[in-house]
């Protein structure tokens, strides 16, 4: 096993980070990310193994075509470059290079920059696209916050061992950071000010250190466990992407008939149950803060009530469910291109399925299984040609195309998932685009690419379970908030020994969050491990001639010989001498 990089030894001294994401970001890459996180947006470049991905500016389709005509021949003329393409679905220049090439990622970026300058496109901003599976940015963000969680937990443990008292600013600091980091409206204001990635890092680091200083080690340890789950998912996602990258681009035409810019959703995505609860909890906590402050005239007690209302358990339960589900999907061959889309699983109520995915004698069983699973998830099934399909499949309204159907349902307030096995704008326009990699062309535009129909069933099953996770996480959040609120008001509750410097109000909140995290992981593993219908072999073996059967089996009248026969042979069981057994 390769040694851990110096950067990871510094950021993760306890070895929490899984090996699947080890040896990736170096100190220079982390420093470069932090510098640009503060100084402004930069071009994302991923250079891993035998591919280089260079992000493009926010350009129109015609401008991307002109850029491709200029930059692709230049890059392909470089030493060791096998091919280069401007890939519209990912909005990047993708370059395949030989192992011993002298061409570097910097050379490729320079060629792209020169082409943008020649076409007078260098003044455009970079698009606000989700992280690419090959990007290191999300890994670096989680490493930074995970290291802060480790430091916060260490500070909390040290305070407990030394039996040191809390600092005088404990509640002011802890309440401010907790409410800002865990409350939707307040956090949203910070994200609009400095950007979502920077807000995630800044608030995560501040919250970890504040909890370590004022609340003991439990809060940072819970957050550290969540970051570890995120990193495990990112590592599995990168692994399957690098494994299948050649196949994905080999099965793509030179120019996909997909727009680089997906039209905006006709209306914002509706809030889910956790968002609704968080908004209500914020209002209730704010009202309780005012009442306690007015009656007790003690800011410390009022701030404790405000802290107790932070819906940490609700968000953490769903985050753990999504992270663990994403990891398990990736380890089974699913490519999660946009992991943030899995957060919408508890809101999906409509599924639009392409007829070619469920039609045909060899897919009748899958069509029935999909209808049963969607019924259990409470989702409507729409199909552009539902003839001969189960009654659960409804025809798309007015004979609309899949893309028009998606937009129509979204305007009505629905959250829509699309299932297709070919590249189509409907996948990109959906709230969750599920591409099935059974066609000769990869289903670009999808947010998640599954290897077969079983992956579709897992995701649809995950919709129903996501609703259960949301309900249970909200219940745990309510328990933690009520217990924390009673503690802040002086009610005697069983005290958790977190050291003399701890704030009792946060103990129930963090304990509930730990239970929510474990519950989310449990549900994800149950969904992924649930037995699925076995796809029947449609081959009419009885109608084939003996030579045809042998040809399909890759055999002959003399059987399988040579290496193939050796590979199928069961290895002998080693015998153990009697004396050794005794």
């Amino acid at each position: 096993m390769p040694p851990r990089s110096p950067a990871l030894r510094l950021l993760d001294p306890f070895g929490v980070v899984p090996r699947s994401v080890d040896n990736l970001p170096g100190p220079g890459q982390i420093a470069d990310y932090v510098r640009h996180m503060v100084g402004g947006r930069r071009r994302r470049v991923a250079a891993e193994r035998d591919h280089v991905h260079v992000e493009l500016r926010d350009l129109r389709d015609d401008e991307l075509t002109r850029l491709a005509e200029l930059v692709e021949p230049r890059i392909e003329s470089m030493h060791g470059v096998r091919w280069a393409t401007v890939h519209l679905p990912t909005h990047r220049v993708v370059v395949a290079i030989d192992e011993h090439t002298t061409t570097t990622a910097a050379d490729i970026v320079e060629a792209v920059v020169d082409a943008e300058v020649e076409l007078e496109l260098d003044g455009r901003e970079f698009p606000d696209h989700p992280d690419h599976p090959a990007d290191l940015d999300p890994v670096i963000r989680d490493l930074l916050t995970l290291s802060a969680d480790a430091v916060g937990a260490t500070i909390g443990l040290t305070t407990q061992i030394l039996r040191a008292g809390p600092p005088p600013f404990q509640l002011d600091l802890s309440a401010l950071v907790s409410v800002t980091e865990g409350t939707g409206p307040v956090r949203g204001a910070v994200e609009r000010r400095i950007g979502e990635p920077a807000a995630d890092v800044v608030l995560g680091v501040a919250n970890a250190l504040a909890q370590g200083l004022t609340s003991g080690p439990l809060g940072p340890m819970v957050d550290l466990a969540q970051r570890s789950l995120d990193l495990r998912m990112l590592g599995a996602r990168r692994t399957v992407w690098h494994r299948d990258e050649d196949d994905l681009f080999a099965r793509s035409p030179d120019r996909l008939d997909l727009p680089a810019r997906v039209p905006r959703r006709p209306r914002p995505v509706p809030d889910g149950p956790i968002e609704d609860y968080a908004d209500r909890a914020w209002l209730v906590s704010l009202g309780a803060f005012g009442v306690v402050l007015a009656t007790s005239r003690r800011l410390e007690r009022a701030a404790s009530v405000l802290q107790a209302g932070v819906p940490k358990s609700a968000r953490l339960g769903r985050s753990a469910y999504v992270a663990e589900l994403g990891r398990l999907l990736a380890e089974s061959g699913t490519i999660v291109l946009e992991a943030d889309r899995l957060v919408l699983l508890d809101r999906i109520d409509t599924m639009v399925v392409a007829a070619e995915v469920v039609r045909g004698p060899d897919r009748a069983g899958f069509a029935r299984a999909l209808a049963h699973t969607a019924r259990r998830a409470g989702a409507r099934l729409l199909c552009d040609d539902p003839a001969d399909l189960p009654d659960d499949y409804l025809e798309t309204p007015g004979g609309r195309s899949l893309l028009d159907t998606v937009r129509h349902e979204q305007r009505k307030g629905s959250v829509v998932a699309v299932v297709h096995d070919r590249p189509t704008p409907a996948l990109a326009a959906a709230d969750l685009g599920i591409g099935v990699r059974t066609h000769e062309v990869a289903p670009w535009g999808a947010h998640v690419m599954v290897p077969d129909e079983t992956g579709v069933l897992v995701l649809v099953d995950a919709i129903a379970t996501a609703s259960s996770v949301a309900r249970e996480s909200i219940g745990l959040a309510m328990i933690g908030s009520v217990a924390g609120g009673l503690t802040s008001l002086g009610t005697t509750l069983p005290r958790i020994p977190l050291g003399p410097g701890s704030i009792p109000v946060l103990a129930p909140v963090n304990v509930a969050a730990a239970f929510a995290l474990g519950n989310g992981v449990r549900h994800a593993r149950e969904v992924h491990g649930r037995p699925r219908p076995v796809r029947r072999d449609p081959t009419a073996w009885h109608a084939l001639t003996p030579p045809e059967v042998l040809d399909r089996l890759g055999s002959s009248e003399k059987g399988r010989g040579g290496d193939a026969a050796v590979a199928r042979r069961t290895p002998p069981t080693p015998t153990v001498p009697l004396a050794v057994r005794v």
Side-chain angles (χ1 to χ4, degrees), residues 358-366 368 535-538:
V358 289
R359 296 288 296 275
D362 60 328
R363 296 188 175 183
F366 168 64
R368 290 191 297 270
R535 183 176 178 181
R536 296 179 179 178
D537 185 358

Side-chain angles (χ1 to χ4, degrees), residues 341 348-355 357 370 380-384 396 401-407 409-410 415-436 443-450 456 459-460 463:
R341 298 287 179 149
I348 292 175
D349 55 14
T350 302
M351 297 197 63
V352 180
V353 183
V357 177
L370 179 59
R380 292 184 302 139
L381 273 178
L382 301 180
C383 184
D384 51 346
T396 53
S401 67
L402 294 183
L403 177 59
D404 290 340
T405 299
V406 170
R407 291 309 189 199
E409 295 298 323
Q410 289 173 337
V415 181
V416 185
V418 170
V419 181
H420 211 303
D421 62 351
R422 302 176 191 187
T424 171
L427 283 170
D431 299 300
L432 177 62
I434 305 173
V436 190
W444 290 109
H447 309 117
V448 179
M449 293 187 188
V450 297
V456 178
L459 280 170
V460 179
I463 295 173

Side-chain angles (χ1 to χ4, degrees), residues 171 174-175 178-179 183 277 281-282 284-285 288 301-313 476-489 503-510 512:
L171 271 171
S174 183
S178 296
V179 171
T183 306
Y277 169 76
W282 163 245
V284 171
S285 299
R301 176 168 292 184
S304 296
V305 173
L306 192 64
Q307 276 185 291
V310 174
K312 182 174 183 177
S313 301
L476 287 167
M478 293 176 66
I479 293 172
S481 295
V482 170
L486 293 175
T487 303
S488 67
L489 296 175
I503 301 175
V505 66
L506 287 183
V509 173
N510 285 320

Side-chain angles (χ1 to χ4, degrees), residues 182 184 226 229-230 233 269-278 311-326 339-348 462-463 465-474 476-477 512-513 515-521 523-524:
Q226 172 58 41
L229 289 174
D230 289 341
M233 184 273 291
V269 178
D271 287 340
I274 291 177
E275 285 71 25
D276 289 339
Y277 169 76
K312 182 174 183 177
S313 301
R315 298 187 185 279
L316 209 63
R318 181 175 62 185
S319 297
Y321 174 71
V322 167
E324 186 69 2
L325 180 65
D340 290 346
R341 298 287 179 149
L342 297 179
V343 175
L344 302 177
L345 285 173
D346 60 1
R347 279 171 263 187
I348 292 175
I463 295 173
T465 306
S467 299
S468 299
V469 172
R471 287 193 302 271
E472 294 165 8
S473 299
I474 290 172
L476 287 167
F515 276 103
L517 186 145
N519 188 54
V521 171
H523 275 297

Side-chain angles (χ1 to χ4, degrees), residues 61-396:
D61 290 356
D62 61 314
E63 293 170 334
L64 286 169
T65 300
R66 289 162 48 207
L67 181 68
E69 293 172 350
L70 185 62
V71 78
E72 287 177 357
R74 292 183 181 179
I75 296 178
E76 288 178 342
S77 66
M78 296 179 178
H79 176 266
V81 173
R82 291 187 282 128
W83 51 262
T85 183
V86 173
H87 194 242
L88 298 186
T90 57
H91 214 81
R92 300 186 178 217
V93 175
V94 184
V95 183
I97 56 178
D98 292 332
E99 182 180 357
H100 303 293
T101 182
T102 58
T103 301
T104 64
D107 298 330
I108 297 171
V109 172
E110 183 179 0
V112 173
V113 171
D114 290 343
E116 290 175 343
V117 171
E118 288 184 35
L119 297 175
E120 299 181 351
L121 302 173
D122 54 310
R124 302 288 182 83
E125 298 292 332
F126 291 105
D128 187 21
H129 282 179
D131 294 313
H132 189 275
D135 286 343
L136 281 174
D137 289 8
V139 177
I140 295 175
R141 286 198 297 269
D142 278 344
L143 282 174
L144 290 171
T145 50
L146 183 143
S147 63
D149 289 329
V151 172
T154 303
I155 292 174
L157 286 171
T158 303
T159 301
Q160 179 180 353
I161 294 172
L162 298 178
R163 304 189 66 80
F169 54 84
Q170 59 164 349
L171 271 171
D172 297 336
L173 174 65
S174 183
L176 175 64
V177 175
S178 296
V179 171
T180 303
E181 201 265 344
T183 306
V186 183
R187 183 187 178 97
V190 177
E191 290 177 349
R192 288 189 295 273
R193 179 72 176 175
I194 64 176
E196 185 176 350
D200 187 46
V201 173
V202 172
L203 293 179
V205 171
N207 188 48
L209 298 179
Q211 287 194 80
L213 284 169
T214 64
S215 310
L218 181 57
M221 289 173 68
V222 172
D223 294 337
L224 187 146
Q226 172 58 41
R227 294 295 179 180
S228 180
L229 289 174
D230 289 341
L231 282 167
R232 284 163 59 87
M233 184 273 291
L234 291 173
R237 177 190 183 206
R238 288 173 61 83
T239 298
V240 70
W241 169 260
H242 290 313
R243 187 195 70 190
D244 294 353
E245 190 174 9
D246 275 325
D247 177 65
L248 289 174
F249 288 105
R251 293 166 53 197
S252 300
D254 292 336
R255 285 289 177 268
L256 288 169
D257 188 20
L258 288 175
R261 291 180 176 181
V262 179
R264 285 185 175 273
R265 203 178 189 277
R267 58 187 296 183
V269 178
D271 287 340
I274 291 177
E275 285 71 25
D276 289 339
Y277 169 76
D279 290 341
R280 293 196 305 270
W282 163 245
L283 293 176
V284 171
S285 299
L286 202 58
F289 170 82
V291 171
V292 173
L293 183 62
T295 55
S296 69
R297 301 184 183 277
R298 293 178 58 186
L299 179 60
E300 178 182 342
R301 176 168 292 184
S304 296
V305 173
L306 192 64
Q307 276 185 291
V310 174
K312 182 174 183 177
S313 301
R315 298 187 185 279
L316 209 63
R318 181 175 62 185
S319 297
Y321 174 71
V322 167
E324 186 69 2
L325 180 65
R327 179 185 71 84
L328 294 171
L329 287 171
E331 290 180 352
S332 61
T334 294
I335 299 176
V336 183
L337 291 166
E338 297 185 22
D340 290 346
R341 298 287 179 149
L342 297 179
V343 175
L344 302 177
L345 285 173
D346 60 1
R347 279 171 263 187
I348 292 175
D349 55 14
T350 302
M351 297 197 63
V352 180
V353 183
E356 49 263 44
V357 177
V358 289
R359 296 288 296 275
D362 60 328
R363 296 188 175 183
F366 168 64
R368 290 191 297 270
L370 179 59
H372 172 76
T373 310
R375 193 183 317 124
R376 178 175 171 269
R380 292 184 302 139
L381 273 178
L382 301 180
C383 184
D384 51 346
D385 185 10
D388 302 325
L389 292 175
D391 295 338
D392 298 81
Y393 291 86
L394 306 176
E395 187 172 4
T396 53

